[in-house]
């Protein structure tokens, strides 16, 4: 077998049959020069129950759930390939996916990240064609729920979704790994923005296709998801947004909260999903309050990281704000999804 170019990193918590299907999908790839590391966060050695995992992957077992970012970082440190591919355990690669991502990444060295075309499992609708960002730091999947056929063009995008993303190792060594304090959600957005400050680019590769069971682990709408998504959004903007964009973010957040309320009352969007699953508006309000309270003790660390990011960044803050405008999504659109 040729020397490996890619390490496929699969963090897993439930380690159920979706992990088995995920690992089995690797056999359909048109290249063989990749390694596989499964990071088992179940605390119960669940990943090793699957023959597909034992036969194909190296397994790193954690005594408890250390979170997505920490799990991926463990595997990055334990590998040495020039590229790493993060892969959710509830995602299935279609044939040729890894080859298409590598081909795109190797066209130019500046391409440090690649995003595949991620479809909702068993559907022709998109989960993600890269990521877009609201002016308050809320990140969403580009093209989410739209027909996949509308996203068939190879093009630059802001960043990939960590669900399935190819990263050049050089970008990780220069920018730093995933922020482990995020624990769950937005780690990919934070890493993508830090890479953008360093002028690394991201390419959307529609020829690389994946099917994804959306929010299989944490649920489509839950208090856990609401809290971490909101808290980590705040972490994200303090670390990465230039001062004018940071000052604007609270105003945009108020608009987003307003539209969440409107759509929840109309039975639409994530807020309505949360209410339908047993959580009400007051629970969501408490999640938002908790998230803002959690920001306070983290501020000294985040400000230090912010200074380092901007001090060592190669993109001017004005360019960064223009980039955010290019790949933006409105607060109302975020609330409607």
């Amino acid at each position: 077998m040729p020397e490996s170019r890619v390490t496929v990193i699969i963090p897993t918590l439930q380690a159920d049959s979706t992990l088995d299907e995920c690992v089995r999908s690797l056999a359909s790839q048109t290249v063989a020069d990749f390694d596989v590391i499964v990071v088992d966060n179940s605390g119960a050695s669940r990943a090793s129950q699957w023959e597909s995992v034992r036969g194909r992957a190296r397994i790193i077992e954690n005594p408890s759930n250390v979170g997505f970012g920490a799990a991926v970082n463990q595997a990055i440190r334990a590998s040495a390939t020039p590229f790493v591919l993060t892969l959710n355990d509830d995602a299935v690669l279609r044939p040729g996916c890894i080859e298409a991502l590598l081909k795109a990444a190797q066209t130019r060295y500046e391409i440090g990240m690649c995003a595949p075309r991620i479809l909702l499992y068993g559907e022709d609708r998109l989960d993600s064609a890269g990521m877009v960002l609201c002016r308050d730091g809320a990140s969403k999947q580009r093209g989410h729920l739209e027909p996949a056929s509308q996203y068939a063009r190879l093009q630059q995008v802001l960043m990939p979704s960590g669900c399935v993303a190819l990263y050049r190792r050089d970008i990780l060594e220069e920018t730093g790994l995933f922020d482990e304090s995020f624990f769950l959600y937005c780690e990919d957005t934070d890493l993508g923005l830090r890479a953008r400050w360093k002028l690394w680019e991201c390419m959307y590769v529609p020829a690389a296709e994946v099917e994804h069971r959306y929010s299989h682990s944490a649920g489509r709408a839950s208090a856990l998801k609401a809290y971490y998504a909101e808290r980590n959004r705040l972490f994200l903007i303090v670390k990465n947004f230039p001062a004018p964009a940071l000052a604007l973010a609270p105003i945009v957040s108020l608009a987003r909260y307003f539209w969440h309320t409107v759509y929840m009352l109309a039975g639409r969007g994530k807020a309505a999903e949360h209410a339908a699953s047993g959580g009400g508006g007051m629970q969501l309000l408490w999640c938002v309050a908790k998230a803002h309270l959690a920001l306070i003790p983290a501020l000294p660390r985040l400000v230090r990281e912010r200074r380092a990011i901007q001090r060592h960044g190669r993109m001017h803050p004005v360019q960064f704000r223009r980039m955010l405008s290019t790949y933006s999504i409105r607060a109302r659109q975020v609330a409607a999804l």
Side-chain angles (χ1 to χ4, degrees):
M1 181 180 293
E3 184 177 349
S4 294
R5 287 183 291 171
V6 186
T7 299
V8 179
I9 300 172
I10 310 173
T12 185
L13 179 60
Q14 298 178 359
D16 57 15
S17 59
T18 61
L19 172 64
D20 179 49
E21 185 180 10
C22 172
V23 175
R24 288 182 184 279
S25 74
L26 298 174
S28 70
Q29 295 309 296
T30 51
V31 293
D33 53 342
F34 61 90
D35 302 320
V36 184
I37 299 178
V38 171
V39 186
D40 187 348
N41 272 347
S42 71
S45 302
R46 292 176 186 162
S48 60
Q49 71 178 302
W50 300 104
E51 182 180 348
S52 61
V53 178
R54 295 195 307 271
R56 184 66 178 87
R58 173 184 173 187
I59 303 174
I60 298 175
E61 294 183 347
N62 290 316
S64 61
N65 182 10
V66 300
F68 176 87
V72 173
N73 288 348
Q74 284 178 300
I76 292 172
R77 296 186 183 105
S79 62
T81 53
F83 294 93
V84 299
L85 178 77
T86 61
L87 176 60
N88 275 16
D89 66 350
D90 55 0
V92 176
L93 301 186
R94 287 185 173 178
C97 180
I98 294 178
E99 182 177 15
L101 290 171
L102 282 172
K103 181 180 179 181
Q106 292 175 325
T107 55
R108 286 188 299 109
Y109 178 72
E110 293 80 7
I111 299 173
M113 305 172 282
C114 285
R117 176 155 59 177
I118 305 176
L119 298 94
L120 295 172
Y121 189 86
E123 298 187 38
D124 292 325
R125 294 186 303 162
L126 271 182
D127 176 20
S128 166
M131 301 294 287
V132 288
L133 201 63
C134 186
R135 294 297 186 93
D136 71 342
S139 55
K140 298 299 292 185
Q141 302 96 319
R142 174 174 170 262
H144 188 58
L145 302 181
E146 296 181 30
S149 58
Q150 295 182 8
Y151 292 81
R153 183 166 66 92
L154 180 76
Q155 63 183 122
Q156 283 201 44
V157 293
L158 181 60
M159 66 189 71
S161 164
C163 167
V164 189
L166 185 75
Y167 296 98
R168 192 182 293 275
R169 183 171 294 273
D170 288 354
I171 189 181
L172 301 170
E173 292 181 351
E174 181 181 19
T175 305
L177 306 185
F178 287 95
D179 187 333
E180 298 181 10
S181 72
F182 280 47
F183 188 72
L184 183 68
Y185 296 117
C186 302
E187 308 97 327
D188 49 358
T189 308
D190 172 64
L191 176 59
L193 289 181
R194 285 187 280 124
R196 283 299 204 160
W197 273 111
K198 297 281 191 178
L199 293 180
W200 289 102
E201 299 173 11
C202 179
M203 188 65 66
Y204 166 62
V205 188
E209 291 191 323
V210 183
E211 292 186 60
H212 180 221
R213 290 181 173 89
Y214 181 63
S215 291
H216 172 73
S217 297
R220 295 182 67 88
S222 65
L224 176 77
K225 183 173 183 177
Y227 168 70
Y228 278 113
E230 188 66 8
R231 189 201 68 165
N232 294 346
R233 176 190 71 81
L234 295 169
F235 284 11
L236 176 88
I237 61 175
V238 172
K239 285 179 62 176
N240 293 285
F241 274 27
L246 185 60
L248 179 65
I251 300 171
V252 179
S253 291
L254 289 174
R256 182 169 56 84
Y257 297 153
F258 168 79
W259 285 113
H260 273 305
T261 303
V262 170
Y263 285 124
M264 181 174 65
L265 294 174
R268 293 177 56 191
K270 284 292 178 288
E273 283 184 26
H274 183 85
S277 66
M282 291 304 296
Q283 186 183 66
L284 280 176
L285 186 61
W286 172 234
C287 288
V288 170
K290 275 202 311 180
H292 282 78
L293 290 171
L295 175 65
I296 297 170
L299 269 176
R301 172 183 63 84
L302 295 171
V303 170
R304 287 194 301 271
E305 292 173 356
R306 171 191 179 83
R307 289 171 178 165
I309 289 167
Q310 297 200 13
R311 183 168 61 249
H312 299 296
R314 294 193 291 271
M315 182 180 286
H316 192 277
V318 172
Q319 292 175 293
F320 194 90
R321 296 203 309 274
R322 288 174 181 165
M323 179 189 69
L324 293 181
S325 297
T326 300
Y327 301 107
S328 66
I329 182 172
R330 292 179 297 167
R332 183 172 181 173
Q333 292 175 289
V334 173
L337 289 172

